[in-house]
């Protein structure tokens, strides 16, 4: 047997090492990310000392009274606990003790996260000293305004009341926006209605494409500006979830360059005519929902008839995604989505969308059937 070792599984729930065995007669190719070595503590501190396009956090936070740090949830592999002590140092240097800081886990429509999972995310120092809150998109929020595209921005109450907002997140491929991260972190602290409105109003940009001017990205950034989330610490990780690159400051400015880095380092060739395609969905394997949506992209490019094998621990079971459920789908979910989409589009666009759907159905029915 031929063994491929050094793989990992069960992100956030053990991070175990595993190996896969394959028959010797198989012709095999394994693709690994081409990552630089992990960053030292000094390198992470230097990132926060030299942010892009703005002063360090220790200067920005002076005289603030309600600082909030937004972090992504366990559905994202960002090792927030690795860098949180250095961010708390910045706040302390600016005159704000850790006990005055609120950390909000940006769960979006991913369901309510257990409090101990938030502790896993932010690490022991922040857990012991800071106030920790898990966002619930079903709770009533505070309306901050409307974007130029017409999206109502209704945010978590703690976030809306903050006078200084900072984020910690990563850059990961997304089917809706090309890449998540940057302004997309703001989605995680909006109410369900705002998140649904934003997604339903714009066409998907496509998985892992280069960032460019689009209505979806423009609307995201407008929503983020209404939240006043102007400072983000962005992390890239290797296949051990160690931090290999960090960038802080004005994410509106640096986001395209960080996406370019991700595409350069983590991209792999398409499977072409492979007979068997194996995807290790780590570090997006916390649940079936996110293993499927984030870790199996290669399957869509496999040739017809190819075998597809996914390695996924699914430590949290099926998982939850309120907008895009893949298990336990509520009754009439598809119909509700269509109604929400038409409502978000507005009268003129809704008429065009309905007309296009009807035309597609007529064309499909008029095609001659294969004998």
């Amino acid at each position: 047997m031929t063994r491929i070792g050094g793989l990992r599984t069960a992100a956030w729930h053990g991070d175990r090492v595993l190996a896969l065995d394959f028959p010797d007669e198989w012709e095999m190719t394994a693709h690994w990310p081409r990552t630089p070595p992990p960053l030292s503590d000094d390198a992470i501190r230097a990132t926060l000392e030299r942010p892009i396009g703005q002063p360090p956090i220790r200067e920005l936070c002076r005289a603030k009274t309600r600082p909030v740090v937004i972090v992504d949830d366990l559905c994202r592999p960002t090792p927030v606990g690795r860098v949180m002590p250095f961010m708390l140092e910045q706040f302390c240097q600016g005159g704000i003790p850790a006990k005055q800081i609120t950390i909000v886990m940006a769960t979006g429509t991913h369901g309510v996260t257990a409090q101990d999972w938030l502790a896993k995310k932010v690490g022991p120092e922040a857990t012991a000293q800071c106030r920790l809150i898990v966002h619930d998109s079903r709770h009533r929020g505070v309306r901050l305004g409307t974007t130029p595209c017409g999206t109502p921005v209704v945010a978590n109450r703690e976030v809306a009341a903050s006078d200084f907002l900072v984020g910690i997140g990563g850059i990961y491929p997304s089917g809706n926006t090309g890449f998540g991260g940057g302004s997309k972190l703001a989605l995680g602290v909006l109410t369900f209605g705002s998140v649904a409105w934003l997604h339903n109003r714009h066409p998907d940009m496509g998985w892992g494409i280069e960032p460019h001017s689009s209505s979806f990205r423009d609307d995201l950034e407008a929503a983020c500006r209404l939240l006043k989330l102007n400072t983000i610490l962005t992390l890239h990780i290797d296949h051990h979830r160690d931090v290999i690159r960090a960038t802080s400051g004005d994410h509106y400015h640096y986001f395209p360059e960080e996406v370019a880095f991700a595409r350069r380092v983590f991209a792999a060739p398409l499977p072409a005519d492979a007979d068997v395609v194996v995807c290790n969905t780590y570090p997006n394997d916390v649940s079936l929902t996110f293993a499927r949506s984030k870790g199996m992209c290669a399957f869509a490019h496999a040739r017809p008839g190819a075998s597809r094998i996914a390695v996924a621990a699914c430590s949290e079971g099926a998982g939850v995604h309120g907008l895009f459920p893949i298990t336990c789908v509520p009754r009439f979910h598809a119909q509700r989505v269509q109604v929400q989409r038409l409502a978000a589009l507005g009268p003129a666009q809704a008429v065009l969308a309905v007309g296009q759907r009807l035309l597609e159905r007529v064309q499909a029915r008029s095609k001659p059937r294969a004998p």
Side-chain angles (χ1 to χ4, degrees):
M1 302 292 284
T2 300
R3 170 162 289 196
I4 303 295
L7 303 174
R8 299 183 76 85
T9 192
W12 297 111
H13 298 281
D15 290 273
R16 301 186 301 274
V17 179
L18 60 84
L20 301 179
D21 293 323
F22 300 93
D24 287 332
E25 60 270 22
W26 285 19
E27 182 181 340
M28 295 178 48
T29 304
H31 298 288
W32 296 85
R34 302 168 296 280
T35 52
L39 297 184
S40 65
D41 289 355
D42 288 342
I44 294 173
R45 282 193 176 94
T47 296
L48 291 167
E49 282 294 329
R50 297 191 293 271
I52 293 175
Q54 56 189 221
I57 289 171
R58 57 183 165 77
E59 296 181 24
L60 294 174
C61 73
R62 293 188 190 282
K64 304 301 183 182
T65 59
R66 301 193 69 167
V68 169
V69 180
I70 298 174
V71 302
D72 53 16
D73 63 11
L74 296 194
C75 300
R76 305 292 189 268
T78 316
V80 172
R82 174 74 176 85
V83 299
M84 185 60 79
F86 310 113
M87 183 169 283
L88 295 182
E89 282 181 6
Q90 284 280 320
F91 277 107
C92 183
Q93 292 166 9
I96 298 180
K99 65 181 181 180
Q100 193 176 331
I101 298 169
T102 298
I103 300 175
V104 177
M105 177 175 275
T107 55
T109 64
H110 302 166
V112 179
T113 298
Q115 197 73 18
D116 60 328
W117 290 359
L118 176 50
K120 281 186 180 184
K121 187 74 176 189
V122 302
E125 185 172 340
T127 298
Q129 300 182 66
C130 302
R131 181 177 175 226
L132 307 184
I133 293 176
V134 177
H135 172 64
D136 188 342
S137 66
R138 299 286 182 174
H139 285 178
R140 199 170 175 185
V142 176
R143 182 157 182 157
L144 301 178
T146 304
T147 69
C149 289
T151 299
V153 178
V154 185
N156 177 283
R157 289 182 174 274
E158 290 292 335
V159 172
S162 171
D163 59 358
F164 181 60
L165 202 58
V166 180
I168 304 176
I171 304 286
Y172 310 111
S174 166
N176 303 113
T177 58
F179 275 85
S183 56
K184 196 169 186 291
L185 184 59
L187 280 182
V189 293
L190 301 183
T191 60
F192 190 96
S194 280
V195 177
W197 189 279
L198 204 154
H199 278 82
N200 291 328
R201 196 171 181 82
H202 307 285
D204 291 347
M205 292 172 60
W207 178 268
I209 67 169
E210 291 278 8
H212 59 275
S213 179
S214 72
S215 62
F216 207 142
R217 178 57 64 177
D218 291 345
D219 212 8
L220 272 176
E221 296 199 348
C224 197
R225 291 184 189 280
L226 283 173
L227 259 71
K228 298 182 180 178
L229 178 55
N230 301 318
T231 301
I232 294 179
L233 172 59
T234 293
L235 308 178
H236 295 274
I237 60 172
D238 62 15
H239 63 288
H240 296 294
R241 288 203 300 117
D242 290 329
V243 179
I244 49 113
R245 180 179 170 103
T247 308
S248 69
D250 180 1
H251 59 97
Y252 304 108
H253 179 79
Y254 71 66
F255 181 74
E257 184 176 345
E258 296 310 300
V259 168
F261 173 84
R263 286 172 56 84
R264 185 171 64 252
V265 171
F266 297 103
L270 296 178
D273 60 349
D275 295 317
V276 179
V277 179
V278 181
C279 286
N280 182 17
T281 63
Y282 181 94
N284 298 114
D285 64 338
V286 291
S287 68
L288 176 61
T289 294
F290 289 94
R292 182 177 181 273
S293 64
K294 303 293 184 183
M296 303 183 192
C297 178
F299 290 170
H301 302 280
R303 68 169 182 80
S307 296
R308 296 162 171 83
I309 301 171
V311 180
C314 299
S315 305
E316 298 174 16
V320 176
H321 199 303
L323 283 183
F324 310 113
I326 66 169
T327 62
C328 303
V329 180
R331 193 178 182 188
F332 303 122
H333 174 76
Q335 291 82 357
R336 282 198 297 269
V337 169
Q338 289 301 323
V339 170
Q340 291 170 350
R341 188 163 294 163
L342 292 174
L345 289 175
Q349 289 178 299
V351 170
L352 289 174
V354 171
Q356 180 64 31
R357 289 292 297 273
L358 291 174
L359 178 61
E360 290 172 356
R361 289 187 179 184
V362 170
Q363 290 174 339
R365 289 179 180 178
S366 63
K367 287 182 180 180
R369 294 186 178 180

